[in-house]
Amino acid sequence: MKLLQSLPHTDWLTSVYSAKQVLENEAKVAQSQNLAMFHLMELAGQAAFTHLIAHWPSAQHVLVLAGKGNNGGDGFIVATLAKKAGLKVTVLLTCIPEELKGDAARAYQAMLVAGDITVINLLDDSSSLAALIHNEADIIVDALFGIGFHGSLPENIAQLVAEVNNSSTPVLSIDVPSGLCATTGAVSAGKLVTQAIMADVTVTFIVLKSGLLTGQAANFVGQLKLSNLGLGAAFSQQVATSVYWQRLHFDDEDSTVPLLAKRLNTSHKGSIGMLVTIGGNIGMPGAIRLASEAALRCGASLVSVCCHEGNQALVFNGRPELMMSATDVDSLRQSNALTHAKAIVLGPGLGHNEWAEQLYRQVVTQETSYAKPIVIDADALSLLARDNQLSHDFEKLILTPHPKEAARLLACDTADIEANRIESANKIAQKYHAICVLKGAGTVITDGKCTVINSSGNAGMASGGMGDVLSGIIAALCMQTDDTFYAVCLSVFIHGYAADILAEKTGPRGMLASDLFVELQKLVNR
């Protein structure tokens, strides 16, 4: 497993692959382990059936939706096992049996030998299909398309998918929800609103695929289960990757994953250093206040806020620990605050007027800034996009765009960003020689060489100010470790994990960005 050497304790990272990598290498890896491909199909079907019984132990009638490829073959194995377990089984084929080839055809014939399994065909006019999906089946197994799928679903299958998604019958998807790209997590738009199966559980095989972890995957995958089929370790050893999934386990008493180094008893505010946060234009005091207070809660000992003079009282009110810095570029330059700062946050509530542009320009052209962590967020990202390219190379530059801001940085459409989030984040990192944090479900963190997909967070974070809080966390953690990339990865994780803790307590709706502060303080002290 190739990984940046600086990342500590890589047991919190799991290798992730594209669909192409798996399709091109699974047969070779299986051969190296003396495992025939049909036996691999049998293992996949057995793993899927095991999860089916574990999640729905009282199921009596299983409906298997099967395509003509090997994913359909996995479905035939599930159908056979379900029948042998005494369940009623119906298989809906989306092709004629003569189109089945290779191992899929072999699995189909073995299923027929098992006997007493009803097989119907989507190509036939089946008036009973809706009743079967909505009322008769206890569980639907999605084996329509595997990880080789890309593009749009055929119209008749898209209609079937819409029918399944409109039902209350639970769904188990085999390897990937049909219609979801296993590499990018994208779902193609079509005539119907729903263009991929919305699974309750997805059982994927051998290794994790990137498209199950980011992009639109969160709407379709449900609970993700990995069954390595005895090949996972060999695959990771034989096939190199630069993409990883971070999943820390805070509740595991045996976990050895550290967060931050323990503070020495002799630590003082000067040794930890000062953070300068810049933003908060007129009418926008909340963003810079949230970023600044988040930094305090995550261990930044001194935080000096440069905001519009009309907002100073609003930012300071109720949080006397915040220091008020200069309010314009000339005063900021004379104060030497940027020179003395250990890290800088630039952008929350900054705006786009002349005041904002002057402050932005001061930060990105001051030589003393080049070697320290600088988090560029929000409005500062729009100003950076106008520059198109920074005139200087920063050693520790961190960009935190959401998809619309990312589109500005790459001069493209938001849809282009979401079509391949990993590729988009890498392009930004390489273009600006920075660490890019592409926010959203399955946030992508990359320096252009190593990419980490985050596992924490929930829909409650669709709330104003969450990104500002993240900027403050990143800056604070960068001040407390020499490993900037690790600090950024950890920041993104605990940001989402704090929200997960809150969602479990009170639910996701109504979650405020400032609600995270107490949980964040607990997490950085774990």
Side-chain angles (χ1 to χ4, degrees):
M1 181 171 72
K2 296 182 178 180
L3 184 67
L4 290 183
Q5 294 299 312
S6 62
L7 282 177
H9 299 273
T10 55
D11 55 333
W12 54 277
L13 295 176
T14 303
S15 296
V16 174
Y17 296 87
S18 68
K20 181 179 180 182
Q21 286 176 297
V22 176
L23 291 169
E24 289 181 348
N25 291 284
E26 64 178 347
K28 290 184 288 186
V29 175
Q31 185 178 16
S32 74
Q33 304 300 303
N34 297 315
L35 185 64
M37 291 304 290
F38 183 73
H39 184 46
L40 191 66
M41 179 177 285
E42 290 180 313
L43 292 175
Q46 178 64 68
F49 181 67
T50 298
H51 281 285
L52 186 156
I53 295 301
H55 284 86
W56 298 280
S58 61
Q60 297 296 315
H61 186 178
V62 178
L63 170 62
V64 178
L65 312 179
K68 64 181 180 180
N70 282 346
N71 195 248
D74 296 338
F76 300 143
I77 300 292
V78 172
T80 303
L81 293 170
K83 182 58 191 175
K84 290 180 178 179
L87 304 182
K88 181 178 180 180
V89 180
T90 302
V91 173
L92 174 64
L93 268 178
T94 61
C95 65
I96 59 174
E98 289 74 19
E99 291 182 277
L100 297 170
K101 305 296 181 184
D103 291 334
R106 182 177 172 184
Y108 179 74
Q109 291 302 320
M111 181 189 74
L112 295 181
V113 171
D116 199 22
I117 292 176
T118 302
V119 179
I120 59 177
N121 200 299
L122 183 65
L123 302 177
D124 299 330
D125 183 16
S126 177
S127 58
S128 62
L129 183 58
L132 183 63
I133 291 172
H134 290 273
N135 301 316
E136 297 175 21
D138 299 315
I139 173 69
I140 297 173
V141 175
D142 161 34
L144 294 170
F145 290 100
I147 62 172
F149 174 86
H150 58 87
S152 299
L153 293 172
E155 186 171 347
N156 64 332
I157 296 182
Q159 291 173 347
L160 172 63
V161 166
E163 193 75 49
V164 170
N165 289 343
N166 288 330
S167 76
S168 60
T169 307
V171 178
L172 181 144
S173 283
I174 295 180
D175 217 1
V176 60
S178 296
L180 180 73
C181 177
T183 295
T184 66
V187 175
S188 298
K191 294 180 180 179
L192 298 172
V193 176
T194 51
Q195 283 288 300
I197 288 284
M198 292 181 175
D200 295 274
V201 175
T202 297
V203 182
T204 199
F205 305 125
I206 304 176
V207 290
L208 291 173
K209 292 86 181 176
S210 52
L212 299 175
L213 306 172
T214 191
Q216 298 177 62
N219 290 334
F220 298 93
V221 170
Q223 295 183 52
L224 179 61
K225 304 294 182 179
L226 172 63
S227 180
N228 63 33
L229 307 184
L231 287 185
F235 195 99
S236 295
Q237 290 170 2
Q238 295 180 38
V239 184
T241 184
S242 60
V243 182
Y244 305 88
W245 191 48
Q246 69 166 351
R247 188 172 177 84
L248 298 171
H249 299 280
F250 288 100
D251 297 327
D252 184 356
E253 295 181 358
D254 297 326
S255 176
T256 59
V257 178
L259 295 185
L260 298 170
K262 183 179 179 180
R263 280 193 180 180
L264 297 176
N265 291 333
T266 55
S267 297
H268 55 84
K269 58 188 179 183
S271 64
I272 297 163
M274 181 177 70
L275 169 67
V276 171
T277 59
I278 303 172
N281 206 332
I282 195 70
M284 295 183 286
I288 201 65
R289 164 65 181 267
L290 286 167
S292 303
E293 187 165 352
L296 284 176
R297 291 294 185 183
C298 290
S301 296
L302 297 169
V303 178
S304 182
V305 183
C306 170
C307 66
H308 194 282
E309 62 180 350
N311 284 338
Q312 280 196 315
L314 294 171
V315 173
F316 178 78
N317 184 41
R319 185 51 61 215
E321 296 85 356
L322 291 173
M323 299 183 294
M324 294 295 102
S325 183
T327 60
D328 60 82
V329 69
D330 291 333
S331 301
L332 184 65
R333 189 183 301 118
Q334 293 171 12
S335 71
N336 290 321
L338 296 181
T339 301
H340 297 311
K342 191 172 181 179
I344 300 168
V345 171
L346 174 66
L350 184 66
H352 301 90
N353 59 8
E354 184 178 355
W355 176 86
E357 291 184 7
Q358 288 178 349
L359 288 170
Y360 164 82
R361 186 60 50 196
Q362 180 62 34
V363 173
V364 300
T365 59
Q366 181 163 316
E367 290 186 17
T368 55
S369 300
Y370 301 161
K372 63 188 62 175
I374 300 180
V375 182
I376 296 184
D377 184 34
D379 295 328
L381 290 169
S382 297
L383 296 173
L384 174 60
R386 293 183 199 172
D387 277 357
N388 191 43
Q389 192 81 35
L390 289 169
S391 57
H392 301 280
D393 284 342
F394 291 77
E395 293 180 22
K396 299 177 180 180
L397 187 67
I398 302 127
L399 310 181
T400 60
H402 56 56
K404 188 173 182 179
E405 292 163 341
R408 295 192 190 109
L409 292 172
L410 292 179
C412 64
D413 295 328
T414 304
D416 297 325
I417 300 296
E418 292 291 74
N420 194 329
R421 286 169 53 81
I422 293 174
E423 180 182 86
S424 298
N426 273 279
K427 285 181 178 179
I428 292 171
Q430 292 163 4
K431 178 177 180 179
Y432 295 97
H433 305 287
I435 294 171
C436 176
V437 178
L438 179 54
K439 295 181 286 196
T443 291
V444 177
I445 308 123
T446 182
D447 62 355
K449 299 175 183 178
C450 178
T451 300
V452 174
I453 303 172
N454 185 51
S455 65
S456 64
N458 60 78
M461 300 178 78
S463 173
M466 286 290 180
D468 305 314
V469 168
L470 177 59
S471 294
I473 300 170
I474 292 173
L477 268 57
C478 284
M479 294 169 68
Q480 299 171 75
T481 176
D482 293 331
D483 191 329
T484 304
F485 191 74
Y486 174 69
V488 175
C489 290
L490 180 57
S491 298
V492 173
F493 183 83
I494 66 171
H495 180 235
Y497 195 75
D500 289 341
I501 293 171
L502 290 171
E504 189 168 338
K505 291 178 179 178
T506 61
R509 284 190 174 91
M511 187 185 299
L512 304 181
S514 57
D515 292 341
L516 272 59
F517 291 156
V518 172
E519 299 300 337
L520 287 169
Q521 184 183 6
K522 293 177 183 178
L523 289 172
V524 295
N525 284 290
R526 294 286 284 266

